[in-house]
Amino acid sequence: METNDNKQTTIRLAVQGLDCPDCAASLERAVQGLPGVLSAQLVFTTSRLSLTAESEEVLPEVVELAGAMGYEVAPEGMPPVPAHQGWWAWVVRRRRELATWVGGGLLLLAFALSLLGLPEVVSNALYAASIVIGGVYVARAGWVGIRTTHAPDMNALMAVAAVGAMIVGEFAEGALTVFLFSLGELLESYSMDRARNAIRTLMNLTPEEATLLSDGEERRVHVSALAPGDRVVVRPGERIPMDGGVLEGSSAVNQAPITGESMPVEKGVGDEVFAGTINGNGVLVMEVTRRADDTTLARILRLVEEAQSQRAPAQRFVDRFARVYTPAVIGLAALIAVVPPLLGFGALSTWFYRALVLLVIACPCALVISTPVTIVSALARAARSGVLIKGGRYLEAMASLRAVAFDKTGTLTVGEPHVVNAGCELLPEGGRCENCGDLLAKAAAIEGRSEHALARAVTRYAESEGVSERYAAAEGVQALTGLGIEGLVSGHMVSVGSVALCRRNNGHNGGHNGGGDSEDDLCRIATEEERKGYTVLVIEDACCGSRCFLSVSDALRDGVADVIRGMRRDGIEHTVMLTGDNPHIARTIAAEAGVDDAKAGLLPDDKVTAVRDLMARYGQVAMVGDGVNDAPALATATVGIAMGAAGTDTALETADVALMSDDLAKLPFAIRLSRRALNTVRANIAFALIFKAAFLALAVAGVANLWMAVLADTGASLLVALNGLRLLRMRESQPRRHGGH
C-alpha cells in the first residue's frame, strides 16, 4: 500500500477465482461503486486489482464484496487469509469446483433414475437439487453484480435461464445448463491460469537467499537485505541473486531467463551479471549494484505486467462491441418472449423457452476472451525469448510493419571498432616504419584520456603492437571540434584526427621523407582508405612533422544479412540504415548487410526526419537502435525497438519493444510472433461472431435448446482460449522451405 501527498491510498490486490473478462469487469465496477473508493482497475490477464481510496479502511469492504461474488483477494505477495482451518479450509477454497462436481453427480443420478422408470417427481427433485447446488455461487455472483453495478452479467443471465427452465418444467435442461456453464467456467479458469503462469515463472527466477561475504565470513541472508556495495558469493549451479559486477572469478553464465540467449556467456572480472541468471561451473564473487526491487528482472516483470494492462486496438473494439451486443440481445429475448404469443403465433411457454435460450447465447464470453488470452500468451512467449513488448498495441503495430530503419553502430555492427590497416606515405599498403610505431605510441598516450570507441580501438592496437607503455599519459589533452583530439606527449604536440584534419594541416609541416608533396600523398592515401569504407585516423607530430594513418572498421554483426533476408521473406518491404558516419562507410556496411538503402551523415534530428519520410511512404515503420542516442527516432517511429536492453535503464524505459540481448535475430521472431498473434485474434473474433450469429438464428427458429446453447457458448470460449494459448509453443526458428528441382 502507498499513501500520496493528497492522503489518498493506493492498494494493490491479487484476485483468485477470475474466470473470464466479463467477471473481471463486473468485480471492477462493483469495487468502483464502494464508498471511499476513488478509482479501481482490475487486469483480468494478471488477476491484479489496483484501487485508489480515501484510506485503507475500505479494504475489509473490498474483501467482503469480492467474497460475496465468489472471489478471494489479498495484498500482492500475500496469500488470502483463510477464514477456516484444516480440511474445511480446503473445502471452502475449492467450493466452486466441489459445487460443480456435486451438481454434476446429482444430474447423472437423476438421469439414471429416470431411465429406471422411477416417478418423474423423484428425478425432477434431484435435477432441482443439482440446479441449486451447482448454481448457488452463480446466482449469488449474479445478484451481487446486479445490485452493485445495476447491469446483468453472465452469471445473472445463467441464473435466470435455470430458474426459467424450472418454471416451464424443463428441470433436466436447467440442471444440464448449470452444470455445463460451471464446468466451462472451471476449464476457462484453468486455461487462463496457464497463460498467467507463463509470466509468473519469471517471478520465481530470483532466489530468496544469497551468500553475503562480510569481514571474510560468509552468511546466508534474504535478498531483500542486500544493498548496493555488498559482496556476494555465487557458487556453481546457483542462480545469481542480484544485479552486479564480477569482482573475482570467472564462469559461463546462462543468461537465457533475461536475454533469451541460447548459449552461456563467459563472465570475468569487471563484467556485469543479472539477477535470475544461472552460474556455470566457476565460483564468482560479485558486488551488488542494484536493490532487489530495481534489478533488471524486477523491472522486466513490472513492464510485462503494465503491458498486459494495456488494451490492444482489437481488444478495445471487442469491449465496445460487447457493451452494445449484450443489452441488444437481452432486449431481443424480451421481445421474443412476449410479442409472438400476443400475436397468436404459439404458446407463451414455447416462446419464453426460446427467449431463455437467447439469454444463454447472449453471454459474450467467447467474444470477450478471444483477444486477452491471445495477447498475454504472445507477450509471455516473447518475454521468454528475451523480447520485451510493452503492450498489446505495440504487438499489434509490429504485425503491420512495412519498413524498418536501423541505426548502424551497435545495431547492425558490433559497436567495437578495431584497427585493420596502418601505413604512411612510404608504406601506403599497410605495415609500419619506425616513425609509425612511435606515432602509434604517442597516439595511445593521448587516446588513453578518452572514452570514445575509436580511442579504445587505438589503445587496443597499441597494446597488441607492444608500444602502449612507451610514453606517459599525455598532458593538455583537448578536443578539436568535429576533427579529432590533440595533446602534449613528452614535449611533442601530437594530434589524432580525421582526414578533414589532415587536409586542414596540409602544407603546414614537412613530411618525414623530406618531399614537398608528401602531405598531399598522405591525405590522398587516407581518402582512398575512406572510400573503401574505413574510418581513417591520421596521427601527426607537429614538432618533427611525422605522420601516419590508421584504418578502423566496425565489424558487421554475425548473421545480419540472414536477418535482413528473413525479414524480407516475412513481408518487410523496405529496410534502411540511418547513420552519422560518412557515406563511404555507410555504403560499405549497407552492402554487406543487404539493406535496401543507407542515409549517412545524419544528426539525431535528421534521423527523425528520415523516419517521418518513411512513415509517409510506408505507414507502419519500426526504428531499431540503442535506445540512447537514437531516442528521438525511436519515439517518432510507429514502434521503437531497442537493442541490448538488459541492464540499460534508458532502453528499457524509452523503447516500445526491447531486445534484451544484442541478438538481432530476435527481431524477425518478434515480427512473426506479432503477426501470428494478430491473425489469431482476428480468427477468434470471426469465429465467435459467426458462432453467435448461427446460434441466435437457431434459437429464434426453436431448433436450439438450453443445454445446446450452453455447450456451444462454453465450447466456443474454450476453443478461442486454446487457440490463443498455442502461441506459447511458437518456435523461434522459422521452418526451412524445401524447394523442388
Side-chain angles (χ1 to χ4, degrees), residues 669-680:
F669 163 70
I671 293 174
R672 287 197 305 274
L673 175 66
S674 63
R675 290 186 172 168
R676 184 174 294 182
L678 185 59
N679 289 336
T680 302

Side-chain angles (χ1 to χ4, degrees), residues 323-335:
R323 283 197 295 269
V324 176
Y325 161 82
T326 303
V329 175
I330 292 174
L332 178 62
L335 291 174

Side-chain angles (χ1 to χ4, degrees), residues 395-572:
L395 183 75
E396 192 166 325
M398 285 186 69
S400 305
L401 289 178
R402 295 179 58 202
V404 179
F406 296 92
D407 175 45
K408 179 181 77 71
T409 305
T411 302
L412 293 178
T413 64
V414 295
E416 287 290 336
H418 59 282
V419 176
V420 296
N421 194 16
C424 60
E425 298 96 327
L426 297 177
L427 299 169
E429 297 302 324
R432 195 178 80 239
C433 64
E434 184 177 346
N435 278 339
C436 290
D438 189 61
L439 284 169
L440 176 61
K442 291 173 180 175
I446 295 173
E447 297 287 23
R449 297 284 194 176
S450 173
E451 292 297 322
H452 195 279
L454 291 175
R456 292 195 296 272
V458 173
T459 55
R460 284 197 300 268
Y461 184 61
E463 289 174 3
S464 68
E465 295 293 315
V467 298
S468 60
E469 304 295 330
R470 184 178 296 182
Y471 295 104
E475 300 174 354
V477 176
Q478 60 180 354
L480 304 172
T481 306
L483 297 173
I485 191 172
E486 66 179 9
L488 202 61
V489 181
S490 295
H492 290 234
M493 182 56 68
V494 179
S495 63
V496 184
S498 64
V499 177
L501 179 62
C502 173
R503 296 193 185 102
R504 191 192 75 169
N505 294 338
N506 188 31
H508 291 287
N509 301 294
H512 68 263
N513 63 358
D517 295 328
S518 62
E519 290 174 295
D520 288 340
D521 290 341
L522 187 73
C523 289
R524 176 181 54 77
I525 295 168
T527 302
E528 290 174 358
E529 287 290 293
E530 267 196 341
R531 290 198 182 102
K532 296 177 183 177
Y534 299 128
T535 298
V536 179
L537 298 176
V538 176
I539 308 169
E540 180 174 357
D541 186 332
C543 298
C544 57
S546 58
R547 300 186 306 163
C548 72
F549 71 87
L550 301 175
S551 297
V552 181
S553 176
D554 186 4
L556 199 67
R557 288 184 182 276
D558 290 339
V560 163
D562 292 334
V563 168
I564 301 298
R565 283 193 295 270
M567 291 174 63
R568 195 170 286 117
R569 284 196 304 270
D570 291 331
I572 299 299

Side-chain angles (χ1 to χ4, degrees), residues 19 96-97 100-101 182-191:
D19 300 316
R96 291 199 70 166
E97 291 97 321
T100 298
W101 295 119
S182 299
L183 180 62
E185 293 285 284
L186 290 180
L187 294 176
E188 284 179 30
S189 178
Y190 295 153
S191 64

Side-chain angles (χ1 to χ4, degrees), residues 299 303 388 390 394 623 625-637 639-643 645 648-658:
R299 284 179 288 140
L303 291 170
L388 182 60
K390 296 288 189 68
Y394 301 117
M623 173 68 194
D626 60 13
V628 181
N629 299 328
D630 300 307
L634 289 171
T636 302
V639 181
I641 303 173
M643 285 281 292
T648 306
D649 293 340
T650 306
L652 272 177
E653 300 300 331
T654 61
D656 305 321
V657 176

Side-chain angles (χ1 to χ4, degrees), residues 351-404:
W351 288 101
F352 181 70
Y353 180 80
R354 293 182 183 181
L356 292 178
V357 176
L358 254 180
L359 282 180
V360 174
I361 295 296
C363 294
C365 207
L367 184 63
V368 176
I369 205 174
S370 62
T371 303
V373 70
T374 303
I375 297 297
V376 72
S377 296
L379 294 177
R381 179 65 188 91
R384 215 163 59 209
S385 292
V387 180
L388 182 60
I389 302 175
K390 296 288 189 68
R393 68 189 183 101
Y394 301 117
L395 183 75
E396 192 166 325
M398 285 186 69
S400 305
L401 289 178
R402 295 179 58 202
V404 179

